[in-house]
């Protein structure tokens, strides 16, 4: 059974349960309410007639009886019994055979001082109002309405109510069915799109139109598919680039090694070949080392051991290590340190490696000058590395921190990817953009150390 039918069935069962309990309660209280209302109505009409009749302080006449009939004509099931002095029946609508039963019942009620709502006369129950005339307990006006009439009214009202409730219940269940279907339909489509993810058809996943929380889930699934598709593409490119980067030095090593073995290269040529083999071996070792480091940064959890360090001091240490490259390129580096404490909570060695990669990248692309700003914000220390080079190609900017993505004068294409992994694992953020006039601007945000 699918979710739509289950929801509709559960809603229908709940509605039937609530409706059934409500019907039982209403049916049980309805008769008591009708009896109370009937007694109240009879009492008001009887008292009104008594007050009107006794105003003139005269004997009860045929006109008074006629007035009483007119007053109670709206309720045709009311029986009248008007008793005068010495239990004389002045007027009644009861059959003559029943009058004695009513008089005896009245006498029993008087003896026991009972004034209950229901009198049992013979086989019938009556709602009775027993009112005195002219402040004389011996002269009484008795108005009686059979309970069976009220039961008929109750049955009619209950039937009408049940009919209305049934119509409403059916309409509600149908409405619930269509509403549930409108909710379940996006879920079914979403299931289809998730199956595409299961079979790695990430690019085929479509955004399912929906509303409310389902729309949020659909957007999350679509974003996840796009991210997986991008990651899958990055992995594919990584394998291609890695194989290319590893294949080139291996071919050089193999070519020179076979040439030396076969005697193709001798003396100076052989020595040159050995130098190339050593150089390419070191290059290969460097690539493998960076690949392993990047894999560790993206997978191992306990690789970082953060402590408190000055961001400006780490920048100065990175510049000192890059001093030979700075002299070679004849680039000036200007540091503008913050005036407030710039203590960050990071892994010293890892973040120093990130600064080495980023500042080294700026040295390779700058023309004359590099400016490094260290600013202290509310929660982060922000380091700007600004060079005056040609900038970064616009189509390369979104992918600059991906693995094996190299710009002009790039080496392996792993340095910035490693830097990004280090900064993000340090709970920071790294961004890059081209300057307004020229050059590239790297923005590194690192979390401030908590106050002691």
């Amino acid at each position: 059974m699918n979710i739509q039918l289950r929801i509709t069935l559960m809603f229908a069962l709940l509605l039937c349960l609530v409706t059934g309990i409500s019907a039982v309660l209403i049916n049980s209280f309805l008769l008591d309410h009708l009896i109370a209302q009937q007694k109240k109505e009879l009492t008001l009409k009887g008292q009104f007639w008594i007050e009107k009749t006794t105003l003139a302080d005269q004997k009860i006449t045929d006109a008074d009886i006629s007035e009483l009939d007119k007053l109670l004509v709206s309720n045709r099931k009311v029986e009248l019994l008007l008793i005068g002095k010495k239990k004389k029946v002045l007027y009644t609508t009861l059959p003559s055979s029943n009058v004695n039963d009513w008089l005896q019942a009245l006498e029993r009620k008087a003896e026991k001082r009972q004034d209950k709502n229901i009198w049992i006369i013979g086989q019938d129950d009556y709602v009775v109002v027993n009112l005195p005339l002219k402040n004389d307990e011996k002269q009484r006006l008795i108005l009686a309405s059979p309970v069976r009439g009220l039961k008929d009214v109750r049955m009619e009202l209950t039937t009408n109510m049940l009919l209305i409730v049934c119509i409403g219940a059916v309409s509600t269940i149908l409405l619930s069915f269509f509403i549930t279907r409108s909710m379940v339909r996006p879920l079914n489509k979403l299931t289809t799109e998730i199956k595409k993810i299961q079979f790695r058809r990430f690019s085929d996943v479509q955004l399912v139109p929906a509303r409310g929380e389902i729309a949020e889930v659909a957007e999350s699934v679509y974003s996840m598919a796009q991210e997986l598709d991008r990651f899958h593409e990055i992995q594919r490119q990584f394998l291609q680039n890695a194989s290319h980067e590893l294949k080139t030095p291996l071919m050089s090593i193999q070519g020179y090694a076979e040439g030396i073995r076969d005697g193709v290269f001798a003396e100076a040529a052989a020595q040159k070949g050995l130098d190339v083999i050593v150089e390419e071996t070191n290059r290969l070792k460097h690539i493998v080392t960076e690949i392993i480091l990047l894999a560790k940064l993206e997978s191992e959890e306990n690789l970082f051991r953060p402590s408190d360090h000055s961001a400006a001091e780490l920048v100065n240490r990175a510049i000192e290590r890059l001093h030979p490259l700075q002299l070679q390129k004849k680039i000036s580096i200007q540091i503008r340190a913050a005036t407030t404490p710039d203590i960050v909570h990071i892994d010293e060695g890892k973040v120093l490696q990130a600064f080495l990669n980023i500042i080294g990248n700026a040295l390779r692309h700058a023309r004359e000058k590099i400016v490094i700003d260290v600013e202290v914000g509310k929660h982060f220390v922000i380091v700007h590395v600004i060079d005056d080079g040609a900038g970064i190609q616009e189509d390369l900017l979104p992918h600059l921190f991906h693995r094996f993505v190299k710009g002009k004068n790039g080496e392996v294409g792993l340095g910035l990817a490693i830097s990004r992994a280090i900064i993000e694992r340090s709970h920071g953020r790294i961004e890059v953009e081209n300057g307004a006039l020229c050059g590239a601007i790297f923005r590194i945000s690192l979390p401030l150390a908590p106050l002691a």
Side-chain angles (χ1 to χ4, degrees):
M1 185 182 296
N2 60 33
I3 187 172
Q4 180 180 358
L5 292 179
R6 288 204 303 268
I7 292 176
T8 305
L9 181 59
M10 286 189 293
F11 184 79
L13 291 175
L14 179 61
L15 186 61
C16 291
L17 180 62
V18 173
T19 303
I21 294 174
S22 301
V24 171
L25 293 176
I26 291 173
N27 188 63
S28 62
F29 290 118
L30 187 58
L31 183 59
D32 293 337
H33 179 72
L34 290 175
I35 290 173
Q37 288 297 108
Q38 181 72 350
K39 184 173 183 179
K40 183 178 179 181
E41 180 184 353
L42 294 177
T43 301
L44 290 174
K45 290 185 176 181
Q47 288 177 345
F48 176 77
W49 179 82
I50 291 172
E51 290 175 2
K52 185 175 180 181
T53 303
T54 57
L55 282 176
D57 195 19
Q58 59 186 5
K59 294 181 179 181
I60 298 174
T61 63
D62 292 340
D64 294 329
I65 299 298
S66 177
E67 185 69 24
L68 182 59
D69 282 335
K70 290 179 182 179
L71 187 63
L72 298 173
V73 73
S74 62
N75 196 330
R76 300 181 182 276
K77 295 182 180 180
V78 176
E79 303 290 352
L80 303 177
L81 180 58
L82 187 59
I83 302 175
K85 293 181 179 181
K86 299 181 180 181
K87 297 183 181 179
K88 182 180 179 181
V89 178
L90 302 178
Y91 177 76
T92 184
T93 59
L94 294 168
S96 56
S97 59
N98 291 346
V99 172
N100 289 332
D101 294 336
W102 279 89
L103 293 176
Q104 291 173 6
L106 178 61
E107 187 174 351
R108 289 196 302 271
K109 299 294 180 182
E111 289 176 356
K112 296 182 180 179
R113 298 185 179 276
Q114 293 178 340
D115 189 21
K116 294 184 178 179
N117 291 338
I118 306 297
W119 289 18
I120 301 175
I121 309 296
Q123 301 295 326
D124 296 322
D125 298 341
Y126 290 87
V127 179
V128 177
V129 173
N130 184 5
L131 301 173
L133 295 177
K134 299 182 181 181
N135 298 323
D136 186 352
E137 294 292 335
K138 294 183 179 180
Q139 298 185 81
R140 310 194 69 82
L141 172 64
I142 298 175
L143 303 175
S145 177
V147 175
R148 64 176 179 272
L150 297 179
K151 290 181 178 179
D152 293 340
V153 172
R154 181 185 67 172
M155 181 59 65
E156 183 179 353
L157 288 174
T158 303
T159 302
N160 292 335
M161 288 174 60
L162 287 176
L163 180 61
I164 294 171
V165 167
C166 289
I167 294 174
V170 172
S171 302
T172 305
I173 291 173
L174 290 176
L175 181 62
S176 170
F177 179 81
F178 288 112
I179 293 175
T180 306
R181 187 174 66 174
S182 67
M183 294 172 57
V184 171
R185 186 180 298 168
L187 290 176
N188 292 333
K189 293 181 179 179
L190 199 57
T191 302
T192 302
E193 301 304 319
I194 291 175
K195 287 182 178 179
K196 294 179 182 178
I197 296 176
Q198 178 184 356
F199 294 105
R200 299 186 179 184
R201 295 163 48 200
F202 307 122
S203 59
D204 295 339
V205 176
Q206 302 294 323
L207 178 61
V208 176
R211 295 180 180 178
E213 289 79 2
I214 298 178
E216 296 179 7
V217 175
E219 291 174 2
S220 299
V221 170
Y222 182 66
S223 300
M224 178 180 67
Q226 288 185 318
E227 186 65 20
L228 288 172
D229 187 41
R230 187 183 68 83
F231 180 76
H232 186 263
E233 180 63 21
I234 291 172
Q235 291 293 100
R236 186 184 64 80
Q237 291 179 358
F238 169 75
L239 293 175
Q240 291 179 349
N241 294 331
S243 61
H244 174 74
E245 293 292 337
L246 295 174
K247 184 178 180 181
T248 302
L250 286 174
M251 290 179 61
S252 298
I253 292 171
Q254 181 183 10
Y256 278 103
E258 289 177 351
I260 294 172
R261 182 196 64 187
D262 297 337
V264 176
F265 301 110
E267 299 180 354
Q271 184 62 42
K272 182 180 178 181
L274 290 173
D275 292 338
V276 171
I277 290 173
V278 172
E279 182 181 348
E280 291 299 319
T281 301
N282 289 331
R283 181 185 172 200
L284 188 62
K285 180 181 177 181
H286 176 66
I287 293 174
V288 173
T289 301
E290 290 203 330
I291 291 175
I292 294 172
L293 175 60
L294 185 57
K296 287 183 177 181
L297 290 171
E298 293 180 346
S299 60
E300 294 187 16
E301 294 294 330
N302 299 320
L303 194 63
F304 285 68
R305 291 176 173 81
S307 55
D308 296 345
H309 298 277
S310 168
E313 182 183 343
L314 287 175
V315 170
N316 282 318
R317 289 170 58 185
I319 293 173
E320 289 175 3
R321 296 193 182 186
L322 292 169
H323 188 63
L325 180 61
Q326 180 186 356
L327 293 177
Q328 179 185 348
K329 294 288 186 178
K330 298 180 180 180
I331 304 295
S332 66
I333 300 178
Q334 178 184 358
I335 302 176
R336 295 189 292 219
T339 57
T340 55
D342 60 348
I343 305 302
V344 290
H345 191 65
I346 44 86
D347 185 304
E348 177 187 12
K350 303 294 188 303
V351 174
L352 180 60
Q353 178 65 45
F355 281 149
L356 284 170
N357 292 341
I358 294 167
I359 298 174
N361 181 79
L363 283 170
R364 284 192 295 273
H365 294 88
R367 292 193 182 101
E368 298 179 355
K369 182 176 66 173
I370 295 174
V371 177
I372 301 177
D373 285 333
V374 181
E375 301 175 357
V376 178
K378 187 175 181 180
H379 301 289
F380 293 89
V381 172
I382 303 172
V383 180
H384 293 89
V385 180
I386 308 167
D387 65 67
D388 62 349
I392 302 170
Q393 300 174 14
E394 292 296 330
D395 59 340
L396 198 62
L397 273 174
H399 314 289
L400 191 63
F401 296 107
H402 294 171
R403 290 169 287 190
F404 293 108
V405 174
K406 293 188 294 185
K408 187 178 180 181
N409 300 326
E411 293 182 343
V412 180
L414 290 173
L416 292 180
I418 291 172
S419 300
R420 183 196 65 176
I422 291 172
I423 298 300
E424 290 181 353
R425 286 289 301 274
S426 300
H427 306 289
R429 186 172 63 250
I430 183 170
E431 299 169 314
V432 63
E433 62 182 1
N434 285 320
L437 299 178
C438 62
I441 302 174
F442 284 83
R443 186 181 298 104
I444 304 103
S445 302
L446 294 170
L448 278 167
L451 297 175

